[in-house]
Amino acid sequence: MLATPIDEPPDGNGWAFEIKWDGVRALAFLDEAGTRVASRRGEDTTPRYPELAEMAAAIGGRDAVLDGEVVAFDEEGHPSFQTLQLRMGLSRPETIRRRAQEVPVTYVAFDLLALDGESLLAEPYERRRELLAGLALESDHWRTPAHHLGGGEAFLAAARSQGLEGIVCKRLRSVYRPGARSRDWLKIRARLSQELVIGGYMPGEGGRRGRVGSLLFVNDTATP
């Protein structure tokens, strides 16, 4: 299920608010056979993230399908897509093992799509979240962050103050619609940005030799 971009949090009490994690969307399939991780396009990425292998055992033999993101954290403890790129696209087992030690990842679960063989897609978000919390998925390599009821403006301000990517707003009564971009899920970017056109560059010198030294930007929204 995909979120619709908006600029301001919705009003009213029928919404929950979550952090927008700067990671890679992934489904996690947990059962007696172990843990399988799949990308948004359905690619099996399980071998790429060996630290997630024991997640199935963490729920005591139950079967579950989770929606979430694979996230890497920088030295300051912030989710960082740039850091995660060091783990993406790897295929050689020896490289994966080394990178797993250098750049560990965490699976952040934010939805529960099936439990013990029963589909939860038609259950409201509020109920799915309650069942997800009951799985107690908390460790160094997987977690279920809390969601916040109401107070969207304050939650967005807090995300901005911490330099986080943004927030996601989810209607409490919403069902899960696989593959659909819905207005029951809304996303807001917290980081400040501006559209610019690169007009030119100067090559780097000294320690920056062989790289870009400086860029000339043109404000694409400015009036001539």
Side-chain angles (χ1 to χ4, degrees):
M1 186 164 172
L2 304 175
T4 299
I6 59 169
D7 296 324
E8 298 294 336
D11 295 327
N13 298 321
W15 294 87
F17 301 94
E18 303 176 0
I19 293 296
K20 188 177 187 298
W21 300 93
D22 202 2
V24 171
R25 190 79 174 269
L27 295 179
F29 300 84
L30 315 181
D31 55 35
E32 61 181 9
T35 303
R36 181 169 67 88
V37 181
S39 72
R40 180 173 153 187
R41 293 189 175 92
E43 176 191 4
D44 185 356
T45 58
T46 307
R48 197 174 296 162
Y49 307 116
E51 56 266 63
L52 306 183
E54 298 302 316
M55 188 160 52
I59 62 172
R62 305 185 73 178
D63 296 351
V65 180
L66 309 174
D67 189 3
E69 289 191 48
V70 177
V71 178
F73 295 89
D74 62 21
E75 294 180 353
E76 297 179 348
H78 295 132
S80 168
F81 188 77
Q82 182 177 359
T83 301
L84 182 63
Q85 286 180 312
L86 298 173
R87 295 293 305 275
M88 295 168 60
L90 302 179
S91 58
R92 298 178 60 183
E94 60 271 24
T95 304
I96 291 172
R97 285 193 296 269
R98 184 178 72 252
R99 290 284 177 84
Q101 294 295 321
E102 299 169 348
V103 186
V105 300
T106 299
Y107 185 80
V108 177
F110 51 65
D111 214 324
L112 181 62
L113 311 188
L115 183 62
D116 297 329
E118 179 181 354
S119 172
L120 301 176
L121 300 183
E123 294 291 325
Y125 164 87
E126 194 170 24
R127 175 59 175 161
R128 299 195 311 273
R129 260 299 196 153
E130 179 184 353
L131 293 171
L132 176 60
L135 295 178
L137 280 166
E138 296 294 336
S139 83
D140 290 340
H141 295 301
W142 48 83
R143 66 176 69 169
T144 305
H147 61 294
H148 297 260
L149 302 180
E153 290 286 354
F155 192 69
L156 177 59
R160 283 185 173 137
S161 69
Q162 296 179 48
L164 298 176
E165 183 186 14
I167 68 171
V168 181
C169 322
K170 298 182 178 179
R171 199 184 301 273
L172 294 176
R173 59 179 174 80
S174 62
V175 300
Y176 190 97
R177 298 182 175 89
R181 189 173 298 279
S182 169
R183 293 198 66 84
D184 285 334
W185 284 17
L186 308 170
K187 61 182 180 181
I188 305 171
R189 290 188 62 85
R191 293 175 181 166
L192 299 178
S193 63
Q194 186 174 4
E195 293 186 3
L196 301 169
V197 174
I198 297 177
Y201 76 96
M202 293 289 291
E205 299 179 357
R208 298 188 63 83
R209 184 177 298 276
R211 295 182 290 173
V212 174
S214 60
L215 290 172
L216 171 64
F217 290 111
V218 179
N219 188 338
D220 191 37
T221 61
T223 302

